[in-house]
Amino acid sequence: MRAVIIGATGAVGKVLVRQLLCDDRYNFVEIFVRRSWDIQHPKLICHVVDFEKMDEWHHLIDGDIAFSCLGTTKKLAGSKKNQWRVDYDYVVQFAKYCKAKSVHTFVLVSSMGANYRSKVFYLYLKGRIEQAIAQLHFNRIIIIRPSSLIRPHSDRKGEEWGVKILTWLNRIGLFKAYKPVPVSRVAARIREAAAQHVAYNLVVIDNEEI
């Protein structure tokens, strides 16, 4: 199989790429990134691209399974508008091009609580992305909704403290459904789900199933 990935330099994406390169079921791993990567591998095809000019490079998309691990925060993006541009516009446009190139499976890293009816901007955003991807009718769509991510060497202090608080609450039996998950487990879960041959055309993996 041939995998195509956006968000390959993010927390989940980095781990996923390494796992796919070590997985004999995947012959090629094609990534689209904004800056050059420090990994070289015979199976890795790296394209340095401008996501604002996707119409100039979408013809390079060539794969069986597409993974979207792309996402940012309002703090990093600078505003809700910019976050929407990255999380929604880039991902949905990429998915549309994947569909046009006959990619049969699309895998989306979303978020626990994603809901297009939510009053919380982040959860509303993730819900709208899920809704847009579902409407593209790939042969198979896999959506994973992790809780807070446990990232090695994280520089997101707010998220780091959130993980610590949730972990402590889990130990005393509270909010177990919100248990933080390591990025390696998220990557492994979607890698395995994508490789399985099942009849369902929409698979949603909640945090408790990761």
Side-chain angles (χ1 to χ4, degrees):
M1 294 184 292
R2 187 180 183 115
V4 183
I5 306 173
I6 58 171
T9 59
V12 174
K14 281 182 179 179
V15 178
L16 176 63
V17 170
R18 289 175 170 84
Q19 290 184 3
L20 291 172
L21 291 174
C22 296
D23 191 328
D24 292 337
R25 291 171 297 188
Y26 293 87
N27 302 315
F28 294 99
V29 179
E30 184 176 48
I31 64 174
F32 294 89
V33 292
R34 285 171 281 196
R35 65 187 76 84
S36 58
W37 229 35
D38 57 352
I39 291 181
Q40 293 186 345
H41 192 280
K43 294 199 308 188
L44 183 64
I45 302 169
C46 181
H47 301 289
V48 179
V49 299
D50 183 348
F51 280 88
E52 286 292 333
K53 300 177 180 178
M54 206 176 296
D55 59 325
E56 296 181 2
W57 54 263
H58 68 85
H59 62 281
L60 297 172
I61 297 171
D62 182 17
D64 304 298
I65 301 172
F67 295 86
S68 173
C69 306
L70 187 63
T72 187
T73 63
K74 186 177 72 171
K75 182 179 179 180
L76 289 173
S79 66
K80 288 182 179 179
K81 180 180 178 181
N82 291 342
Q83 185 181 8
W84 187 280
R85 180 67 176 157
V86 174
D87 282 30
Y88 184 93
D89 293 344
Y90 291 171
V91 171
V92 174
Q93 188 60 63
F94 175 73
K96 288 179 179 178
Y97 282 130
C98 286
K99 176 66 176 178
K101 295 296 291 287
S102 300
V103 173
H104 62 71
T105 299
F106 195 90
V107 183
L108 175 68
V109 178
S110 184
S111 171
M112 184 174 184
N115 188 335
Y116 66 90
R117 294 190 179 94
S118 177
K119 302 287 187 187
V120 178
F121 173 74
Y122 180 75
L123 300 180
Y124 168 73
L125 168 58
K126 293 300 181 181
R128 284 291 304 276
I129 298 168
E130 290 185 8
Q131 185 184 46
I133 299 300
Q135 290 172 349
L136 294 176
H137 302 293
F138 285 87
N139 290 354
R140 193 153 61 109
I141 296 170
I142 299 168
I143 298 172
I144 192 165
R145 296 171 176 166
S147 181
S148 298
L149 297 173
I150 301 174
R151 312 165 188 255
H153 315 298
S154 175
D155 59 354
R156 298 185 179 185
K157 297 303 179 183
E159 183 179 69
E160 190 175 353
W161 275 106
V163 166
K164 289 179 179 179
I165 292 169
L166 276 173
T167 300
W168 180 79
L169 290 170
N170 294 160
R171 286 173 182 168
I172 61 174
L174 299 175
F175 299 105
K176 287 189 174 182
Y178 294 84
K179 183 178 180 180
V181 290
V183 291
S184 58
R185 190 177 301 172
V186 176
R189 188 69 178 83
I190 56 175
R191 176 173 56 89
E192 289 300 325
Q196 292 172 358
H197 298 285
V198 295
Y200 305 111
N201 58 7
L202 175 61
V203 177
V204 177
I205 303 170
D206 290 316
N207 194 62
E208 293 176 315
E209 301 174 66
I210 299 174

